[in-house]
Amino acid sequence: MTMDAAAESSESRLSSSQLNKNKPFHNDESCPKEVLPVRGCGSRNTSPSGRIGSRNTSPSRQKVVKTKPRGLDEETVATFGKAVHPDVQMEDNIWAMLPEDLFNEILARVPPFMIFRLRSVCKRWNSILQDNSFLKFHSEVPSHGPCLLTFWKNSQTPQCSVFSLPLKTWYRIPFNFLPQWAFWLVGSAGGLVCFSGLDGLIFRALVCNPLTQTWRTLPSMNYNQQRQLIMVVDRTDKSFKVIATSDIYGDKSLPTEVYDSKIDKWTVHQIMPAVNLCSSKMAYCDSRLYLETLSPLGLMMYRLDSGYWEHIPAKFPRSLLDGYLVAGTQKHLFLVGRIGLYSTLQSMRIWELDHAKIMWVEISRMPPKYFRALLRLSAERFECFRQDNLICFTSWNQGKGLIYDVEKKVWSWIAGCALQSYNSQVCFYEPRFDASVR
């Protein structure tokens, strides 16, 4: 399909106010922005919204933008750390004749949340999300980078915001397309997000893509009881699976069930052996699902390929107060938790499972200054989750987020991120247009 030069000419002259009108995604103005240090007499504003409509013709006052829309590496920073020229005029006759493949390749490299702000420009851009050529290029470009997705319900109305770590900006996502029963955030993988809830007396689950606003309710399980769920995505064949383990109320007679999107049905697997779970948190690593157990002490491992459970006698570290299993890349399985009987002696540590010796090996400790700022009270609640080599810690009382890079062994605050609500549910999220719920 070719683009009409006259239409594109008029659309290229749209004002910023027209671009922002009726956009389904917008910067969440209620969320605090990153405060940058003041230099000299002026302040430095690098947010995209702060540049819209501005005019600065003085070369000495030109602003330099240092965002990282395609990742967190230093090479990307250097690539985008160039002066912005807001008054550059586009040659309509040149851009109107831009080849379709080149247009799609350029657009595929635009940060995903920005594309939603451009959908109101014209019908062509509005339908771009269903364009196979665009989706092909989008699937081949590097990831936008990690994001934090927060979900909560305000007066029974679902609310969702996404914080982009590369752009240090909040984006509000309209979630009114979901049914009312979708209440619990199960997790996210490969650009898809899974929810569960009670539809009357029936326990249901659904999978959606927040960017394309598409969703799919999974068929009812063979055993209709509220379960612990986890979703895994296979990017190679564009499919996903949802694993339902034990009943959340402790019913040990329920078999494990697995939903496969390729056949659109639940299959019944082995019943988990009778154990006492010490946490409802699960971790999926290298085609294996792990849960913590108190009796017998250690881990329960479920092999997705064979459908069988087995016990791993990996004893937990001494004086462990609370622990989260966190799956890393490849076969790396981590345990994150607080150590210490008294509040003044507590510390946060990270261990990795040595599969050969079946023991936990300490790999890092949270520096005391971060621990005191993140958890001021000994009984304060925190959450922990990961994406690739990043482990994120959040404290809802303090409204802060802290990240540990396992590969670089670096601790850092999530700049500009003030968590939204005490009752929010949060997970890492990778924005992708090519993630399909079908």
Side-chain angles (χ1 to χ4, degrees), residues 273-318:
V275 296
N276 291 324
L277 300 177
C278 60
S279 173
S280 62
K281 301 297 181 181
M282 301 182 287
Y284 183 80
C285 176
D286 190 33
S287 299
R288 294 169 173 84
L289 180 66
Y290 295 90
L291 295 92
E292 303 171 70
T293 62
L294 284 176
S295 176
L297 191 63
L299 302 171
M300 287 302 298
M301 181 182 71
Y302 174 74
R303 296 180 179 272
L304 187 59
D305 51 357
S306 64
Y308 288 99
W309 289 91
E310 65 179 86
H311 178 253
I312 300 177
K315 295 183 178 180
F316 297 120
R318 280 189 173 185

Side-chain angles (χ1 to χ4, degrees), residues 341-367:
L341 299 177
Y342 304 100
S343 60
T344 56
L345 301 177
Q346 285 185 7
S347 63
M348 188 80 71
R349 306 185 189 185
I350 303 176
W351 299 266
E352 183 177 352
L353 181 64
D354 187 325
H355 294 272
K357 298 180 179 179
I358 313 180
M359 62 180 296
W360 294 103
V361 179
E362 184 177 327
I363 62 170
S364 183
R365 297 187 183 187
M366 184 182 294

Side-chain angles (χ1 to χ4, degrees), residues 367-380:
K369 64 176 182 179
Y370 291 117
F371 181 76
R372 290 192 296 267
L374 186 71
L375 301 172
R376 295 183 180 179
L377 302 176
S378 58
E380 195 162 338

Side-chain angles (χ1 to χ4, degrees), residues 1 34 50 53 126 167 171 183 195 214 226 271 288 376 399 415:
M1 182 176 69
E34 179 189 9
N126 186 45
L167 298 177
Y171 295 93
F183 187 82
F195 291 90
T214 56
Q226 195 170 341
I271 298 176
R288 294 169 173 84
R376 295 183 180 179

Side-chain angles (χ1 to χ4, degrees), residues 121-181:
V121 172
C122 63
K123 293 181 179 180
R124 172 70 183 93
W125 287 12
N126 186 45
S127 62
I128 193 68
L129 302 184
Q130 288 78 39
D131 192 298
N132 291 329
S133 176
F134 166 76
L135 294 177
K136 176 180 178 296
F137 283 114
H138 176 73
S139 64
E140 296 172 352
V141 299
S143 171
H144 165 78
C147 299
L148 292 181
L149 184 144
T150 62
F151 175 81
W152 71 100
K153 282 204 170 183
N154 183 14
S155 300
Q156 297 304 311
T157 302
Q159 305 286 338
C160 182
S161 291
V162 174
F163 181 78
S164 168
L165 271 69
L167 298 177
K168 297 182 176 62
T169 306
W170 283 100
Y171 295 93
R172 180 66 60 85
I173 301 181
F175 255 56
N176 51 9
F177 65 93
L178 293 181
Q180 286 293 322
W181 56 261

Side-chain angles (χ1 to χ4, degrees), residues 39-110:
R39 300 183 180 181
C41 300
S43 61
R44 185 169 176 265
N45 181 8
T46 61
S47 65
S49 60
R51 294 193 303 272
I52 296 176
S54 64
R55 183 181 181 89
N56 186 358
T57 57
S58 173
S60 62
R61 298 181 60 188
Q62 189 63 270
K63 295 182 176 65
V64 177
V65 179
K66 294 184 179 180
T67 59
K68 296 176 280 187
R70 303 309 302 177
L72 297 174
D73 54 295
E74 296 302 324
E75 290 79 4
T76 308
V77 178
T79 302
F80 285 86
K82 298 180 180 180
V84 176
H85 303 281
D87 295 324
V88 174
Q89 297 296 321
M90 297 292 190
E91 293 291 341
D92 298 336
N93 57 338
I94 295 177
W95 286 95
M97 295 185 294
L98 195 67
E100 190 76 8
D101 288 347
L102 183 57
F103 170 78
N104 286 328
E105 185 172 1
I106 293 173
L107 198 60
R109 298 178 183 275
V110 176

Side-chain angles (χ1 to χ4, degrees), residues 149-431:
L149 184 144
T150 62
F151 175 81
W152 71 100
K153 282 204 170 183
N154 183 14
S155 300
Q156 297 304 311
T157 302
Q159 305 286 338
C160 182
S161 291
V162 174
F163 181 78
S164 168
L165 271 69
L167 298 177
K168 297 182 176 62
T169 306
W170 283 100
Y171 295 93
R172 180 66 60 85
I173 301 181
F175 255 56
N176 51 9
F177 65 93
L178 293 181
Q180 286 293 322
W181 56 261
F183 187 82
W184 294 292
L185 172 64
V186 173
S188 174
L192 299 177
V193 181
C194 182
F195 291 90
S196 66
L198 290 173
D199 183 11
L201 298 177
I202 302 176
F203 179 67
R204 293 192 180 279
L206 67 82
V207 174
C208 71
N209 185 332
L211 288 185
T212 60
Q213 304 278 282
T214 56
W215 59 283
R216 174 185 189 179
T217 300
L218 307 188
S220 299
M221 300 180 192
N222 295 279
Y223 294 83
N224 178 36
Q225 282 186 255
Q226 195 170 341
R227 308 283 199 95
Q228 298 179 69
L229 303 177
I230 190 169
M231 179 181 65
V232 296
V233 172
D234 189 341
R235 293 281 296 276
T236 56
D237 60 2
K238 296 182 179 180
S239 65
F240 63 89
K241 293 181 179 181
V242 178
I243 308 172
T245 59
S246 62
D247 173 68
I248 65 172
Y249 300 109
D251 187 349
K252 299 179 176 61
S253 64
L254 291 175
T256 303
E257 296 193 44
V258 178
Y259 172 82
D260 190 338
S261 64
K262 290 185 290 186
I263 59 176
D264 191 28
K265 64 180 294 187
W266 293 89
T267 55
V268 178
H269 292 239
Q270 181 192 22
I271 298 176
M272 183 194 300
V275 296
N276 291 324
L277 300 177
C278 60
S279 173
S280 62
K281 301 297 181 181
M282 301 182 287
Y284 183 80
C285 176
D286 190 33
S287 299
R288 294 169 173 84
L289 180 66
Y290 295 90
L291 295 92
E292 303 171 70
T293 62
L294 284 176
S295 176
L297 191 63
L299 302 171
M300 287 302 298
M301 181 182 71
Y302 174 74
R303 296 180 179 272
L304 187 59
D305 51 357
S306 64
Y308 288 99
W309 289 91
E310 65 179 86
H311 178 253
I312 300 177
K315 295 183 178 180
F316 297 120
R318 280 189 173 185
S319 304
L320 180 66
L321 298 178
D322 44 23
Y324 285 88
L325 289 177
V326 179
T329 55
Q330 299 178 348
K331 297 183 179 181
H332 298 288
L333 180 67
F334 303 104
L335 174 66
V336 178
R338 285 183 286 196
I339 285 286
L341 299 177
Y342 304 100
S343 60
T344 56
L345 301 177
Q346 285 185 7
S347 63
M348 188 80 71
R349 306 185 189 185
I350 303 176
W351 299 266
E352 183 177 352
L353 181 64
D354 187 325
H355 294 272
K357 298 180 179 179
I358 313 180
M359 62 180 296
W360 294 103
V361 179
E362 184 177 327
I363 62 170
S364 183
R365 297 187 183 187
M366 184 182 294
K369 64 176 182 179
Y370 291 117
F371 181 76
R372 290 192 296 267
L374 186 71
L375 301 172
R376 295 183 180 179
L377 302 176
S378 58
E380 195 162 338
R381 171 175 167 255
F382 77 97
E383 296 283 346
C384 181
F385 43 91
R386 70 90 203 174
Q387 177 169 309
D388 298 330
N389 287 317
L390 301 178
I391 300 178
C392 181
F393 301 80
T394 59
S395 170
W396 298 114
N397 287 350
Q398 306 302 326
K400 294 181 179 180
L402 180 67
I403 278 187
Y404 176 69
D405 191 314
V406 177
E407 184 177 351
K408 298 179 181 178
K409 302 185 182 303
V410 175
W411 296 86
S412 59
W413 292 110
I414 304 177
C417 175
L419 299 175
Q420 312 250 314
S421 171
Y422 178 79
N423 295 320
S424 293
Q425 305 168 66
V426 63
C427 66
F428 266 123
Y429 168 63
E430 179 188 3

